């Protein structure tokens, strides 16, 4: 329970000013249970689709787990999406609930999505200074459980809904059941031997399906998830520096991102410390493979996930 589950920075503000957050497995479980209780109080029944729009931080994982623990299905919405796309996704999914953190509530209350009669769930102040305090001090609303509930989900219960890019027409919602998600995690961890000693950097946007590999699979084995923020997503050098600084052992990236990292000699050397390198999302060329081999790391395993 006292092992670290999540590392990252709090939501919002300038990157240099944001406080670093360290969350243990015990704390992650308590906070997500507490958030689940708030959602149930809001009247969210099982199999309800709940939109979640949050910046990249440990809060994202707490929100997702809270929705799952309440019996709902999470609908990830990238805050960078245009207003029209957000409106379309929420309307098309018939979602009547939107989870947002303090920094985003005011922004989305002003948008026309309020016409969809959405409920902004904002009672939980998921700031780092609160996260590591005892439950009785963690929130001003103390009458919700911190223990696991007795919710009985079925294999066919919805886990999450993701929307396609819409490149061939309107975006389409894909409904993923719990059995599919569990099967995916089982298949991945059978092939890639994740352990509790691993540390995985999460950079994939949470509105893409492969995000579950970075955000849920590590938690099933007691590993550490290091949440990369938007700067790390956009800046290959910043991402490479995190790999080195945080002793990341598992890294998943597209060939395009890897190519950019490999062009920066200093940060590229951080890849040598990896145990597992997962490459996917695009065609993995033989030329890129040779560049990776030239790093001289003989210990890591490389997986083509495409």
């Amino acid at each position: 329970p006292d092992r670290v589950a999540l590392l990252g920075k709090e939501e919002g503000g300038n990157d240099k000013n944001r406080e670093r957050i360290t969350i243990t497995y015990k704390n992650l479980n308590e906070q997500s249970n507490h958030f689940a209780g708030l959602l149930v109080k809001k009247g969210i029944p099982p199999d309800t689709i709940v939109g979640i729009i949050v910046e990249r931080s440990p809060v994202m994982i707490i929100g997702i787990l809270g929705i799952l623990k309440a019996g709902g299905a999470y609908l990830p919405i990238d805050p960078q999406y245009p207003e029209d796309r957000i409106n379309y996704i929420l309307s098309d999914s018939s979602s009547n609930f939107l989870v947002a953190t303090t920094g985003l509530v005011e922004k989305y209350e002003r948008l026309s999505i309020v016409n969809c009669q959405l409920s902004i769930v904002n009672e939980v102040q998921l700031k780092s200074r609160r996260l590591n305090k005892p439950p009785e001090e963690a929130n001003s609303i103390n009458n919700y459980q911190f223990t696991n509930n007795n919710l009985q989900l079925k294999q066919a219960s919805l886990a999450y809904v993701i929307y396609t890019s819409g490149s061939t027409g309107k975006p389409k919602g894909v409904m993923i059941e719990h059995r599919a998600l569990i099967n995916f995690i089982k298949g991945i961890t059978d092939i890639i031997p994740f352990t509790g000693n691993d540390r995985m950097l999460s950079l994939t946007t949470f509105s893409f399906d492969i995000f579950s590999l970075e955000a849920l699979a590590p938690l099933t084995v007691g590993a550490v998830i290091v949440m990369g923020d938007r700067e790390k997503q956009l800046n290959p050098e910043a991402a490479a520096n995190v790999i080195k600084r945080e002793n990341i052992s598992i890294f998943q990236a597209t060939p395009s991102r890897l190519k950019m990292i490999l062009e920066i000699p200093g940060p590229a050397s951080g890849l040598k410390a990896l145990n597992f390198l997962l490459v996917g999302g695009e065609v993995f060329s033989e030329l890129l493979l040779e560049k990776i081999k030239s790093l001289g790391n003989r210990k890591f395993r490389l997986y083509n996930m495409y």
Side-chain angles (χ1 to χ4, degrees):
D2 295 326
R3 286 176 68 99
V4 173
L6 297 174
L7 287 173
K9 290 189 175 181
E10 65 180 2
E11 187 185 52
N14 183 279
D15 182 63
K16 292 182 179 179
N17 297 329
R18 283 184 290 133
E19 191 174 340
R20 181 182 168 92
I21 302 173
T22 301
I23 302 176
T24 65
Y25 272 87
K26 177 182 178 182
N27 192 245
L28 175 61
N29 196 46
E30 288 177 343
Q31 291 295 331
S32 54
N33 282 338
H34 185 58
F35 189 49
L38 289 171
L39 295 176
V40 171
K41 182 72 173 179
K42 282 282 183 179
I44 295 177
D47 272 348
T48 298
I49 297 173
V50 181
I52 175 168
I53 186 163
V54 293
E55 299 288 359
R56 294 191 61 82
S57 75
V59 169
M60 179 184 286
I61 307 299
I62 292 171
I64 287 172
L65 291 179
I67 292 170
L68 292 173
K69 283 172 174 281
Y74 71 91
L75 169 61
I77 302 172
D78 193 317
Q80 305 301 319
Y81 282 167
E83 179 182 343
D84 287 349
R85 182 174 172 87
I86 294 173
N87 273 318
Y88 171 79
I89 289 174
L90 290 168
S91 175
D92 184 70
S93 66
S94 300
S95 176
N96 291 315
F97 295 91
L98 179 64
V99 170
T101 43
T102 309
L104 290 174
V105 167
E106 185 178 344
K107 176 180 178 181
Y108 291 105
E109 278 181 330
R110 293 197 301 266
L111 297 181
S112 58
I113 56 176
V114 294
N115 295 331
C116 301
Q117 296 183 337
L118 297 175
S119 175
I120 307 291
V121 181
N122 186 41
E123 282 85 348
V124 178
Q125 300 292 319
L126 296 171
K127 292 292 186 180
S128 59
R129 64 187 65 89
R130 297 173 181 270
L131 279 171
N132 294 310
K133 290 186 176 182
E136 62 272 16
E137 299 178 31
N139 199 283
S140 58
I141 303 173
N142 293 317
N143 57 340
Y144 298 107
Q145 64 183 19
F146 285 87
T147 55
N148 297 329
N149 60 31
N150 294 316
L151 183 69
Q152 296 296 314
L153 291 172
K154 297 178 180 178
Q155 293 184 34
S157 297
L158 281 183
Y160 61 92
V161 178
I162 56 169
Y163 272 75
T164 61
S165 63
S167 56
T168 57
K170 287 187 176 181
K172 298 173 181 64
V174 182
M175 299 186 291
I176 307 298
E177 299 173 346
H178 275 270
R179 59 183 162 197
L181 176 58
I182 291 168
N183 187 55
F184 170 75
I185 292 173
K186 176 71 165 61
I188 287 292
T189 53
D190 277 354
I191 296 170
I192 304 171
F194 282 71
T195 73
N197 295 320
D198 282 313
R199 298 164 70 90
M200 184 164 195
L201 176 60
S202 175
L203 288 180
T204 303
T205 175
F206 82 143
S207 56
F208 282 4
D209 199 38
I210 201 67
F211 172 77
S212 60
L213 173 58
E214 298 176 351
L216 296 177
L219 296 178
T220 67
V221 298
V224 178
I225 299 171
V226 179
M227 291 295 296
D229 55 22
R230 185 159 173 77
E231 182 205 5
K232 310 303 184 297
Q233 282 185 313
L234 300 176
N235 185 338
E237 184 171 4
N241 287 335
V242 169
I243 292 172
K244 204 169 186 177
R245 185 175 67 248
E246 298 291 349
N247 298 313
I248 299 299
S249 60
I250 306 177
F251 181 49
Q252 174 177 242
T254 60
S256 299
R257 188 190 298 274
L258 273 177
K259 186 173 181 294
M260 289 188 285
I261 291 176
L262 289 167
E263 289 172 353
I264 312 169
S269 65
L271 298 179
K272 293 181 181 180
L274 293 173
N275 292 329
F276 308 103
L277 179 60
L278 319 181
V279 186
E282 303 160 2
V283 173
F284 184 21
S285 71
E286 190 171 347
L287 179 61
L288 181 57
L289 175 61
E290 292 305 316
K291 285 185 177 181
I292 293 171
K293 284 182 178 180
S294 70
L295 290 172
N297 183 350
R298 298 298 179 189
K299 75 169 186 174
F300 77 47
R301 299 184 188 178
L302 190 147
Y303 295 86
N304 185 359
M305 311 289 286
Y306 188 51

